[in-house]
Each structure stands twice: as structure tokens, then as C-alpha cells.
């Protein structure tokens, strides 16, 4: 019998630390001269000053007002942050978001984009109300002290005060009620737990006779979230508060209810008596609990989160099906249940009667658990019921991204079953917290055979940027034609059909746990995440519907290599200085084309108040097909250029990353926490090929600190149709530094479903 060709490990042994590669920075073409910018902006400064002057004093916390400063689309990069101008005018940074605008003028190099909306950064800035009013009077004749301030001023496209668009669309959910439950988001720079702004807002609410609840206040980064109850006619008054970022309807919590709770004929299920394959793995499911007598005690420990209300029968049924999906995958009538990969803590966080502001309470319960213990894997198949906005972030997303930033946990999050909702209004898009950058948002496919597609109910992307590719993956979640079979009743235990992203999500977590359970070597969370994304397959043109593609629930499809191919995993710590060169083990003697698929993954800290600059870290990845030689000098722009590093070739680029044309010129994909791409090269062009990987960092959209011990992973596949024995040749060509991962004692070789 042929030995199984397991995933190859220790790719990091083919790496070395190098100096940070040089980065070319050409001369910037500015759309406006200083005189032109001052002429354009002076009326805007006057209008902003007049708007500030009309605000009630109680709406200006500590005498401070807020501005929205939109930069020209040419200035998206962190190096163009107008720090000198901000200091000159005595302003402070509150946050940022993205906007799409048609600029007044385009630079010559982008003249073809004239009349097209382009992405631009909006900066939220704060300053003394009196000083801003005074500056509005002199802006037309103002002259800065130095050229650096002048340069910053030229980058501004428009200036205004925060407007009515901060109120998000209200539904008919509370029609007929005198007051509406609302979630308020305040700019509240997190400096020694600043309470001045929240206190000023509370005083302002009292002056309007509006109820608020400071006990439910939540600080996440530089944003404060708290609930209020206001009458519809009071909302314009609430919007007067200068530091208000967003005002939106308080979301209800849905356990991402199945489209149909159960259908088809229920059939009896007999549980296996085997213990979990890897009891050392720690796994948690946050859901609605389990019915009494659920019968899963051998593998499941049920916990009630502190403060949770009485069990809700619908939530318990949901929790049973979700837990079944993780333990056993999609069931098949007449087939014995498989052995679970790991035991699981099921945390009941959803209860009956949580009220209008249940989203605050449920997030508290999840946070309390994750702050007190570490899990290798978690799954969340419930969440707030609003589709994401590009310009803002949910407290669920922001807080979970913060809790997961250390890169120790693989989190799978159901994207929601709102995929058939209004597309024009964006109500079909993924729901928080599946838009997080440190988690895997999971959508549903209607089947797992040939001809599969996104289930109609499954929420769509894109996500925000960073976090653009959403859902990250889709997995089988069931459909009318092919229901997802899961445990549904107890006493006796039975199963029947259901469908929803709630069940696709734990299937993906099951696959990740299966990868970890199969091998003795530890695989980091970034490596598991990279492998899951890497092995997903699907049409790139459908990225906004299926993300990176469909993940098979067959473990063999993820960890076994076929003829003509080799899968290798690299796990590295990013050095505190310099960069890393990762050599690709392409054997000598190959002919024809070599297909290279690479998937990078890492976790990072986030700035919740900076939607457009949300991630604090990124990877600058340069592919070098031939590291054995440095190109000769050449002339460019009348200058002699003498290269100091091997030539690079495009691999990851915005052009093949973003779906929309106006984003393809941006380098924002460098700030994404997961990237995958396949490229084909002639074997003759490859000589010790490598990826040079540099860590780039920022805070609040400009330069920031570099974290220590940042983990990242690369999943790599090499294919060549001339070498059936490529797997063995890759190992030999590495000098046997690469070795197949070792399976745990007694585990069975998994099957491949894709063959």
C-alpha cells in the first residue's frame, strides 16, 4: 500500500532574515497648488465655522468641535497623513473612514479616471471650537509657517462638520412605539479611559430628556458605544453632539435562524462510543445552549454564561444543530457518526427576554469568557442583525478582533442568512462580527458536489477594506434540494434537514480542528487559517459571493497531496527589524510550466475608530523568481538606477485582488490579513525563487510601532505536470529539511472527497 503523502511541514527551515528590501518612492504629482487649495477651501472653512458657531454649548464637549476632512484620492497611503497641518492648527485625531468621491481635479497620470468615483480617506479631527471659528475667518489669507504644512494643506479635497448621514437607516421594527432603542457611537479617544466626552454626552441627553444607560457603555479603541431611547422627532437634536460618530437602531440578536428550522423526515441516530481524537485541543461554541438530555456529554461540556436569562427552546435547538455540525459534520442517513476531532465547551450566551439592548449583553458574555481563558478554536453562529457599512465598525467586530489579535485562536463566524435581502440598500451583505480581520467569516454553499453554488440565503460581500474578501470561505450549509442533516431532537436522539450559514461555520471549524488533531506537530492559528483559505476552490469572478471559495469538509482534501503536487506550510516569527526571505522548494530539472499557489495569513491589532486604516499591520510581499542574480544597471527617467536586490515579479497585486476597477490601483491589499493567489511560471525562469516578506505598520493611518513576536504563516502549493513524483523531489531538493507532518498514533488516513 502506498504511504499517504501528508502535508509537508517545516517550511520555515527554508527561510532567512534579510535586510528590508528597498521601496521605490517616485515624485508625487499634486492635483492642487497651495494657492488653488486655499482658494477652494476657504469657503468650506467659513461654512464649517458657521455650523460650529450654531451648535449648543452642551453639544461641544470641553469646548471642542469636530471636523470631517476629506483628502484627495491621491493621498490614500499612510505617508500622506497630514500630521504637520494637524499640529499647526492644534487639532487631534479622532478616527477615519472611507468615502468614494469624484474629485474636483485629477492628476495627469490619472486623467482617464476623471468623472469616476474614487476611494478617499476622511479624517475625523477635533479642535477648540473658538479656534476653528477664528480660523474660518482668516482661512482665505492664511499662510503656513513652513512648506511641510503647505504640502499637507494641498492634500485636502473638502472640509465640513459631521452631518446627518451619521444617522443610519431605520427599519419598521419599532414602528408605532413612542421611542426607538438606539445604539450611539461616540468618538472618545482612549486616553486614560477618557470620561469627559461620555460625561458631556450624558449631560446633553439630560438636557433633551432622553434616556441613556452608562452602565452598558462599552469602550473599544477610540470609540464608546452606549444605548439610548429617543423619540423620532428628537434624533436631529441628538445629531448636534459634535463627537457623535454614528446613530443607529439597536440591533436584535438572531442566532442566524435557519431558513427552515427543520424539514424532511426525522431519522434515528446512534452515537459513537469513541472519545475525541485530540482531547488536548480547546474548542468553544457560543450559542443558545442544548436541550435537556442531549446525550452529547461524552464530548460536550455545557456552560451558562454569567447573567444569561432562561433557556430559549429555539436557541437550544439551534445550539444542538450547531454542535452536531462541529462534532460530526453533515450527517448521512444510514451511516454511522464519525469520531469527533475534539471536545467542546458549549457556552449558552443567548437567553429568553434579553430585551431591546440584548446585543450589548451577549457581547459582554462572550468577552468575559474569552478574556478569562484561551481556546484553540471558537465558533459564533449568532450576532447583531445589521449588515455592515463600509465606513463604520460594529462593537462586536472591533472587540472580537482585539481579543483575537494575539493570533492564538482560529475563530469561525457565520455570515448570516440575509443574502436575498435588498441589494440596492446593501442589506444582503455579511453581518457582524463576520467582517472581522482576525476571524474567518463563513458563508453557505447549496451542495458540496459538482455544480455547487452560493446558497441563495447566504450573505454576500464584499467586506470593508481591510477585510475586503468576505465571506472568507463558504462550506456546505444546506438547501431545499440538499438539506444539511444535523441532530434536531433528543430522547430519543434524531436528526433531520435544515439549512443556514449557522451550520456551514462549525463545519469549517471542524476542518480546522481536524487538521490540528491529525498531526503531532503544533500548527499555529495563522497556519491553520492559511491552510483553510488555501484549499478553498471557486471562481474568482464570484469573490463577493463566495470569498476565496468552497472548503471541502473532507479532511483528506486539505492535508493530503496528489500526484504532480506538493503542499508545504511555513510558520515564522517576523523579526523585530529587517525582513524574511522564504525560499520555494522548486526542484531542479522540471520542464514546462510550474504552478505556484501561495496563501499568507497573520493576525494583528486594530484601530476600531479608523475604518479605512483598521489594521495596524500588513505584509509587503515581493516575489523574486531568480534570487541567484541581480539585474544590471539601467536608466529610468534620465537617472541611472543600480539595483541592489534580485528582480521582483508581481504576485499579489490590487489588480487581481479587488473586484471594482476604481480600487485596483490602490495597494490596500497589503493591509489584508489573508491573501491567496495562483501564478504560473516557466520552469526555466525559476532559480531559487523566494518571497521577500516585510512587515509594515501603522497606527491611526500613519506611522506606528512594530509589534514583537508577530506570527505569520504561508501555505504553498507547487504543481508541475512533468513530475508525477514532485512530492518526493521537493523533500529531497530541500536537503530533507522539509518533512511530512507526522500523524498522531492510531489515526486513520483521511479520505479525499474531491476525487
Amino acid at each position: 500500500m502506498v504511504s499517504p503523502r501528508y502535508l509537508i511541514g517545516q517550511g520555515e527551515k527554508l527561510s532567512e532574515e534579510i535586510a528590508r528590501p528597498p521601496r521605490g518612492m517616485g515624485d508625487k504629482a499634486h492635483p492642487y497648488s497651495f494657492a488653488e487649495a486655499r482658494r477652494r477651501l476657504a469657503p468650506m472653512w467659513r461654512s464649517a465655522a458657521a455650523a460650529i458657531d450654531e451648535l449648543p454649548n452642551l453639544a461641544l464637549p470641553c469646548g471642542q468641535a469636530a471636523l470631517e476632512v476629506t483628502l484627495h484620492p491621491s493621498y490614500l497611503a499612510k505617508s500622506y497623513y497630514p500630521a504637520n497641518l494637524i499640529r499647526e492648527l492644534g487639532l487631534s485625531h479622532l478616527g477615519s473612514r472611507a468615502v468614494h468621491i469624484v474629485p474636483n481635479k485629477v492628476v495627469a497620470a490619472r486623467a482617464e479616471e476623471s468623472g469616476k468615483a474614487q476611494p478617499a480617506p476622511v479624517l475625523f479631527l477635533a479642535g477648540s471650537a473658538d479656534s476653528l471659528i477664528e480660523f474660518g475667518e482668516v482661512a482665505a489669507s492664511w499662510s503656513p509657517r513652513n512648506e511641510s504644512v503647505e504640502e499637507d494643506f494641498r492634500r485636502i479635497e473638502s472640509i465640513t462638520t459631521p452631518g446627518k448621514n451619521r444617522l443610519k437607516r431605520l427599519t419598521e421594527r419599532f414602528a408605532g412605539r413612542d421611542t426607538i432603542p438606539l445604539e450611539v457611537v461616540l468618538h472618545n479617544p482612549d486616553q486614560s479611559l477618557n470620561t469627559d466626552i461620555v460625561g458631556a454626552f450624558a449631560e446633553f441627553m439630560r438636557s433633551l430628556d432622553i434616556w441613556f444607560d452608562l452602565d452598558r457603555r462599552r469602550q473599544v479603541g477610540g470609540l464608546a458605544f452606549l444605548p439610548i431611547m429617543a423619540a423620532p422627532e428628537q434624533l436631529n437634536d441628538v445629531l448636534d453632539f459634535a463627537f457623535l460618530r454614528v446613530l443607529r437602531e439597536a440591533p436584535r440578536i438572531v442566532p442566524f435562524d435557519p431558513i427552515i428550522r427543520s424539514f424532511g423526515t426525522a431519522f434515528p441516530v446512534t452515537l459513537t462510543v469513541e472519545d475525541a481524537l485530540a482531547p488536548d485541543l480547546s474548542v468553544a461554541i457560543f450559542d443558545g445552549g442544548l436541550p435537556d438530555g442531549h446525550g452529547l456529554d461524552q464530548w460536550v461540556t455545557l456552560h451558562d454564561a454569567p447573567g444569561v436569562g432562561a433557556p430559549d427552546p429555539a436557541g437550544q435547538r439551534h445550539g444542538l444543530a450547531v454542535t452536531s455540525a462541529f462534532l460530526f459534520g453533515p450527517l448521512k442517513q444510514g451511516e454511522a457518526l464519525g469520531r469527533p476531532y475534539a471536545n467542546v465547551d458549549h457556552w449558552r450566551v443567548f437567553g429568553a427576554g434579553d430585551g431591546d439592548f440584548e446585543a450589548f449583553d451577549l457581547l459582554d458574555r462572550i468577552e468575559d469568557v474569552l478574556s478569562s481563558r484561551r481556546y484553540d478554536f471558537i465558533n459564533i453562529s449568532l450576532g447583531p442583525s445589521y449588515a455592515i457599512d463600509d465606513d463604520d465598525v460594529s462593537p462586536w467586530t472591533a472587540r472580537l478582533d482585539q481579543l483575537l489579535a494575539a493570533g492564538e485562536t482560529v475563530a469561525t463566524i457565520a455570515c448570516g442568512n440575509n443574502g436575498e435581502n435588498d441589494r440596492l440598500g446593501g442589506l444582503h451583505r455579511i453581518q457582524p462580527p463576520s467582517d472581522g480581520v482576525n476571524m474567518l467569516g463563513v458563508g453557505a454553499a447549496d451542495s458540496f458536489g459538482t455544480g455547487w453554488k452560493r446558497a441563495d440565503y447566504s450573505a454576500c460581500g464584499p467586506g470593508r477594506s481591510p477585510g475586503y474578501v468576505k465571506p472568507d470561505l463558504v462550506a456546505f450549509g444546506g438547501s431545499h434540494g440538499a438539506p444539511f442533516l444535523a441532530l434536531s431532537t433528543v430522547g430519543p436522539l434524531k436528526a433531520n434537514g435544515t439549512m443556514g450559514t449557522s451550520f456551514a461555520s462549525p463545519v469549517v471549524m471542524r476542518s480546522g480542528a481536524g487538521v490540528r488533531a491529525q498531526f503531532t506537530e503544533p500548527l499555529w492559528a495563522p497556519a491553520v487559517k492559511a491552510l483553510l483559505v488555501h484549499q478553498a476552490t471557486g471562481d474568482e469572478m464570484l469573490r463577493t459571493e463566495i470569498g476565496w471559495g468552497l472548503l471541502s469538509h473532507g479532511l483528506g482534501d486539505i492535508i493530503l497531496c496528489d500526484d504532480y503536487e506538493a503542499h508545504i506550510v511555513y510558520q515564522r516569527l517576523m523579526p523585530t527589524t529587517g525582513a524574511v526571505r522564504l525560499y520555494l522548494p522548486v526542484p531542479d530539472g522540471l520542464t514546462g510550466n510550474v504552478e505556484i499557489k501561495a496563501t499568507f495569513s497573520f493576525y494583528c491589532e486594530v484601530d476600531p475608530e479608523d475604518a479605512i486604516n483598521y489594521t495596524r499591520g500588513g505584509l509587503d510581499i515581493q516575489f523574486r523568481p531568480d534570487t541567484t542574480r541581480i539585474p544590471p544597471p539601467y536608466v529610468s527617467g534620465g537617472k541611472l538606477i543600480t539595483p541592489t536586490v534580485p528582480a521582483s515579479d508581481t504576485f499579489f497585486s490590487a489588480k487581481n485582488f479587488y473586484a471594482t476597477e476604481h480600487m485596483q490601483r490602490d495597494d490596500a491589499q497589503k493591509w489584508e490579513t489573508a491573501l491567496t493567489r495562483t501564478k504560473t511560471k516557466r520552469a526555466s525562469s525559476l532559480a531559487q525563487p523566494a518571497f521577500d516578506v516585510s512587515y509594515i505598520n501603522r497606527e491611526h493611518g500613519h506611522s506606528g510601532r512594530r509589534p514583537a513576536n508577530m506570527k505569520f504563516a504561508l501555505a504553498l502549493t507547487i504543481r508541475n505536470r512533468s513530475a508525477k513524483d514532485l512530492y518526493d523531489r521537493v523533500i529531497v531538493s530541500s536537503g530533507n529539511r522539509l518533512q511530512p507532518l507526522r500523524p498522531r498514533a492510531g489515526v486513520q488516513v483521511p479520505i479525499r472527497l474531491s476525487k
Side-chain angles (χ1 to χ4, degrees):
M1 180 177 178
V2 178
S3 298
R5 288 172 291 197
Y6 283 116
L7 176 71
I8 299 171
Q10 303 179 36
E12 60 276 7
K13 291 186 176 181
L14 303 183
S15 67
E16 63 181 3
E17 294 187 19
I18 60 172
R20 187 181 179 89
R23 301 173 67 192
M25 292 293 289
D27 294 333
K28 186 69 175 180
H30 300 283
Y32 309 117
S33 67
F34 173 73
E36 187 178 8
R38 185 173 60 184
R39 185 172 61 254
R40 290 183 60 255
L41 298 176
M44 301 181 199
W45 280 106
R46 285 196 298 270
S47 295
I52 292 170
D53 198 27
E54 292 176 0
L55 292 175
N57 288 335
L58 288 179
L60 301 169
C62 305
Q64 297 275 303
L67 292 174
E68 290 189 13
V69 176
T70 303
L71 302 185
H72 189 278
S74 297
Y75 303 108
L76 277 166
K78 69 175 185 176
S79 56
Y80 299 125
Y81 183 82
N84 300 300
L85 177 66
I86 289 172
R87 283 193 297 268
E88 175 80 6
L89 298 183
L91 303 176
S92 60
H93 182 92
L94 295 176
S96 65
R97 66 180 177 91
V99 68
H100 288 85
I101 63 171
V102 177
N104 185 258
K105 182 191 288 188
V106 297
V107 295
R110 293 179 182 161
E112 73 279 2
E113 297 182 355
S114 180
K116 295 182 179 180
Q118 301 171 41
V122 177
L123 306 180
F124 296 102
L125 304 174
S128 162
D130 290 340
S131 297
L132 290 173
I133 292 171
E134 180 181 342
F135 186 77
E137 297 172 353
V138 302
S141 58
W142 173 71
S143 294
R145 299 183 195 179
N146 55 57
E147 289 185 5
S148 62
V149 176
E150 185 177 291
E151 285 286 301
D152 285 355
F153 194 81
R154 295 169 62 185
R155 297 170 185 166
I156 299 175
E157 181 66 24
S158 65
I159 299 156
T160 187
T161 52
K164 302 300 183 184
N165 61 347
R166 292 172 294 165
L167 174 62
K168 301 303 179 181
R169 185 169 72 170
L170 303 177
T171 69
E172 297 298 317
R173 179 176 161 217
F174 299 110
R177 286 180 51 164
D178 293 335
T179 57
I180 302 172
L182 297 157
E183 180 181 63
V184 167
V185 186
L186 301 176
H187 289 293
N188 189 41
D190 191 14
Q191 299 167 356
S192 302
L193 296 178
N194 185 353
T195 59
D196 290 342
I197 293 170
V198 173
F201 181 75
E203 185 177 358
F204 186 53
M205 291 298 96
R206 291 188 193 100
S207 74
L208 299 175
D209 196 25
I210 292 176
W211 179 91
F212 59 92
D213 187 354
L214 289 185
D215 290 337
R216 281 192 169 103
R217 171 204 168 188
R218 169 176 295 280
Q219 181 79 27
V220 186
L223 299 176
F225 301 83
L226 69 153
I228 69 170
M229 296 276 285
E233 62 270 17
Q234 293 176 305
L235 300 186
N236 278 336
D237 293 332
V238 176
L239 291 172
D240 280 343
F241 192 74
F243 279 43
L244 186 138
R245 171 77 173 252
V246 176
L247 183 61
R248 58 192 171 208
E249 191 176 281
R252 68 184 181 95
I253 290 292
V254 288
F256 293 135
D257 294 326
I259 305 306
I260 296 177
R261 291 194 179 278
S262 61
F263 60 99
T265 303
F267 57 92
V269 172
T270 301
L271 298 177
T272 179
V273 297
E274 292 184 289
D275 291 332
L277 179 61
D280 53 305
L281 293 182
S282 56
V283 180
I285 289 173
F286 296 93
D287 214 278
L290 298 170
D292 293 338
H294 55 76
L296 303 177
D297 308 84
Q298 184 174 354
W299 312 285
V300 180
T301 303
L302 181 61
H303 304 271
D304 281 357
V308 70
D312 176 76
Q316 290 177 310
R317 289 193 297 270
H318 186 268
L320 177 63
V322 168
T323 304
S324 167
F326 169 70
L327 292 176
F328 310 114
L331 305 182
K332 291 186 178 180
Q333 189 170 358
E335 289 190 11
L337 272 61
R339 182 182 184 183
Y341 293 131
N343 298 323
V344 59
D345 287 344
H346 185 118
W347 287 91
R348 186 173 71 84
V349 295
F350 182 81
D354 276 327
D356 289 330
F357 299 110
E358 60 186 0
F360 285 84
D361 300 329
L362 263 73
L363 180 55
D364 282 341
R365 293 167 197 156
I366 295 172
E367 181 181 350
D368 287 345
V369 174
L370 294 181
S371 298
S372 62
R373 61 190 72 194
R374 189 191 73 81
Y375 284 104
D376 297 312
F377 297 89
I378 67 168
N379 181 79
I380 300 175
S381 290
L382 48 72
S385 62
Y386 45 60
I388 66 153
D389 286 323
D390 287 329
D391 58 350
D392 279 302
V393 62
S394 157
W396 280 65
T397 302
R399 189 65 189 113
L400 288 171
D401 268 336
Q402 287 181 331
L403 290 168
L404 298 169
E408 301 293 333
T409 303
V410 178
T412 52
I413 315 291
C415 282
N417 298 328
N418 52 300
E420 295 180 281
N421 288 1
D422 176 30
R423 284 181 173 254
L424 190 61
L427 300 183
H428 68 303
R429 291 178 67 183
I430 61 168
Q431 299 188 3
S434 68
D435 57 326
V437 295
N438 290 326
M439 24 194 156
L440 288 168
V442 182
D446 64 350
S447 68
F448 45 78
T450 303
W452 68 269
K453 62 180 180 62
R454 176 186 66 87
D456 292 339
Y457 58 79
S458 183
C460 298
R464 294 175 295 115
S465 179
Y468 181 78
V469 176
K470 291 288 178 176
D472 293 272
L473 305 165
V474 294
F476 176 58
S479 61
H480 289 286
F484 189 103
L485 301 181
L487 299 180
S488 58
T489 61
V490 300
L493 199 61
K494 292 185 177 181
N496 61 2
T498 187
M499 57 188 188
T501 60
S502 284
F503 317 117
S505 183
V507 165
V508 171
M509 182 171 75
R510 172 179 168 80
S511 295
V515 172
R516 284 282 304 272
Q518 188 76 20
F519 301 115
T520 59
E521 292 93 340
L523 287 172
W524 297 345
V528 174
K529 181 179 173 182
L531 285 167
L532 297 179
V533 170
H534 189 74
Q535 297 294 10
T537 58
D539 187 346
E540 185 176 303
M541 299 300 293
L542 298 176
R543 183 168 287 168
T544 58
E545 294 195 12
I546 63 172
W548 299 115
L550 174 73
L551 181 69
S552 169
H553 63 269
L555 186 60
D557 295 333
I558 302 173
I559 64 172
L560 295 179
C561 301
D562 209 341
D563 293 338
Y564 307 103
E565 71 178 13
H567 306 310
I568 308 103
V569 63
Y570 299 65
Q571 302 184 115
R572 272 283 325 211
L573 288 176
M574 184 62 69
T576 54
T577 60
V580 174
R581 176 165 290 173
L582 306 173
Y583 288 100
L584 280 55
V586 177
D588 294 333
L590 299 183
T591 59
N593 290 331
V594 176
E595 181 184 292
I596 300 169
K597 182 174 184 180
T599 304
F600 283 87
S601 172
F602 68 100
Y603 291 61
C604 71
E605 295 178 348
V606 297
D607 283 322
E609 63 271 41
D610 286 285
I612 194 172
N613 300 304
Y614 183 63
T615 50
R616 286 191 173 185
L619 297 180
D620 187 350
I621 305 167
Q622 299 184 37
F623 176 58
R624 305 195 187 280
D626 183 352
T627 61
T628 63
R629 69 185 189 91
I630 294 175
Y634 62 95
V635 175
S636 176
K639 297 180 180 179
L640 179 65
I641 307 297
T642 303
T644 59
V645 294
S648 63
D649 192 2
T650 57
F651 202 97
F652 300 102
S653 69
K655 186 174 182 180
N656 55 58
F657 182 78
Y658 290 107
T660 49
E661 182 179 331
H662 63 254
M663 291 292 286
Q664 291 181 0
R665 59 176 175 74
D666 182 26
D667 68 348
Q669 81 283 352
K670 294 181 180 180
W671 300 102
E672 300 286 338
T673 56
L675 284 172
T676 186
R677 177 90 203 285
T678 301
K679 191 175 182 69
T680 299
K681 299 288 291 184
R682 296 292 298 174
S684 57
S685 71
L686 300 174
Q688 298 181 31
F691 286 111
D692 285 357
V693 185
S694 304
Y695 184 81
I696 49 179
N697 51 288
R698 61 184 176 184
E699 288 185 40
H700 307 300
H702 50 106
S703 297
R705 59 184 173 82
R706 186 185 180 105
N709 301 322
M710 199 278 287
K711 298 176 179 178
F712 75 97
L714 165 64
L716 178 73
T717 293
I718 300 172
R719 292 189 176 95
N720 177 251
R721 297 303 300 176
S722 71
K724 186 175 183 179
D725 61 344
L726 182 65
Y727 180 89
D728 296 321
R729 292 174 66 176
V730 162
I731 295 173
V732 172
S733 70
S734 74
N736 291 319
R737 287 175 290 180
L738 300 179
Q739 289 294 323
L741 295 180
R742 294 169 296 177
R744 292 179 187 242
V747 302
Q748 295 182 339
V749 178
I751 61 172
R752 300 189 67 163
L753 299 182
S754 62
K755 299 194 69 175

